[in-house]
Amino acid sequence: MAVEYDKAYKLLAQQEGISNSKAKELIDRGVVKVGDKKVLIARGEIRSDTKFNIKEIGKIKVIFEDKNILVVDKPAFLTADDVAKKFTGAILLNRLDKETSGVMMFAKNEEFQKKAITEFAQNRVYKEYVAIVDGKVVEEIVIDKPILTTKDRGSAKSKIDVKRGKPAKSTVYPVLVEGHKSKVKVVIESGRTHQIRVHLNSVGLPIIGDAIYGRTASNINRVLLHSKITRIFDYEFIAPEPKEFRVYDFNS
């Protein structure tokens, strides 16, 4: 009997009883897997008897709010714009990649927004991330390499470019080493698009789960990068590490 194939999003829609557009959205978000492999192309042909697994997207949690600032803990698989839509009138102050979780800040008035932009421009905002990388990190590493970002059909991609790139500095601190994988703390100055992912990959330490700049890990469903602590003015905001950072099986 011949094996039948159909587009992934159509099969997912049938399996879950949802619309084709909703099925495409789930695949584009990166939350659909077959076995231990992420489905990357919604229109890709796949066996008609395929069974999909869908990862549940976490909820947006408010960390802090006053008259000037609103701060949330962004879950993985939501874009910064997805989060912004939930808070009408709030002005986005910092962006995180879709699969990066953690501290996201919004200004609640234009006066505070202008002051915050000045702090960012003067590199006076402390930004601390945690990541799990492929490779051993046993001492502090300073990565001071300019980054150039280009956009193609709405998608941004960055690379190290000494001549045309903008200044970017990341300092990497070892936290835990197990086998050939490490948990690290990364503190950044500036904040170029995909800065930490590009910088770590440039020194042979790709982030686990980063299919764009690193190497895919079949058992990981997301880029293991989390914005943990941000300090601006007299504020300090902390987003607890998601469970995949706390109980991650380094030997898997």
Side-chain angles (χ1 to χ4, degrees), residues 33-197:
K33 296 179 85 173
V34 174
D36 61 3
K37 292 187 177 179
K38 190 185 295 185
V39 179
L40 298 174
I41 304 173
R43 295 181 178 276
E45 296 280 328
I46 198 166
R47 284 177 60 121
S48 296
D49 59 356
T50 297
K51 297 299 180 187
F52 300 94
N53 298 309
I54 302 174
K55 180 177 175 63
E56 185 177 350
I57 298 173
K59 293 193 175 0
I60 303 166
K61 298 175 183 176
V62 175
I63 296 173
F64 179 84
E65 184 175 7
D66 66 11
K67 65 179 182 180
N68 291 316
I69 191 167
L70 167 69
V71 185
V72 303
D73 183 355
K74 181 186 95 65
F77 306 112
L78 291 181
T79 67
D81 291 329
D82 290 331
V83 178
K85 289 174 186 174
K86 306 286 186 182
F87 302 100
T88 306
I91 309 164
L92 193 62
L93 290 177
N94 71 303
R95 289 182 171 272
L96 297 177
D97 298 341
K98 181 173 68 175
E99 291 184 21
T100 301
S101 52
V103 177
M104 265 187 62
M105 303 185 297
F106 296 84
K108 296 183 68 176
N109 55 70
E110 290 186 3
E111 181 182 357
F112 186 84
Q113 178 201 19
K114 289 176 182 176
K115 290 178 180 177
I117 288 172
T118 300
E119 293 297 292
F120 277 105
Q122 298 296 323
N123 285 332
R124 291 197 294 255
V125 180
Y126 177 84
K127 292 160 284 187
E128 178 183 319
Y129 290 73
V130 61
I132 296 176
V133 301
D134 189 1
K136 293 184 178 182
V137 181
V138 296
E139 60 186 8
E140 180 181 322
I141 303 169
V142 178
I143 309 169
D144 196 347
K145 300 179 180 180
I147 290 176
L148 176 68
T149 301
T150 55
K151 290 191 176 181
D152 180 25
R153 287 171 290 185
S155 295
K157 192 163 185 184
S158 299
K159 65 179 181 179
I160 305 295
D161 191 316
V162 176
K163 291 184 178 179
R164 297 179 295 162
K166 294 182 179 180
K169 182 179 179 182
S170 306
T171 305
V172 185
Y173 303 89
V175 175
L176 177 68
V177 178
E178 183 67 44
H180 288 281
K181 297 182 177 69
S182 301
K183 184 176 184 177
V184 296
K185 177 177 84 174
V186 186
V187 177
I188 63 170
E189 294 179 19
S190 61
R192 309 302 175 198
T193 301
H194 301 167
Q195 175 173 325
I196 296 174
R197 296 163 66 183

Side-chain angles (χ1 to χ4, degrees), residues 76-77 99-101 208-209 220-225 242 244-245:
F77 306 112
E99 291 184 21
T100 301
S101 52
I208 301 294
I220 299 298
N221 204 42
R222 58 164 289 195
V223 176
L224 288 180
L225 179 63
E244 53 263 44
F245 290 81

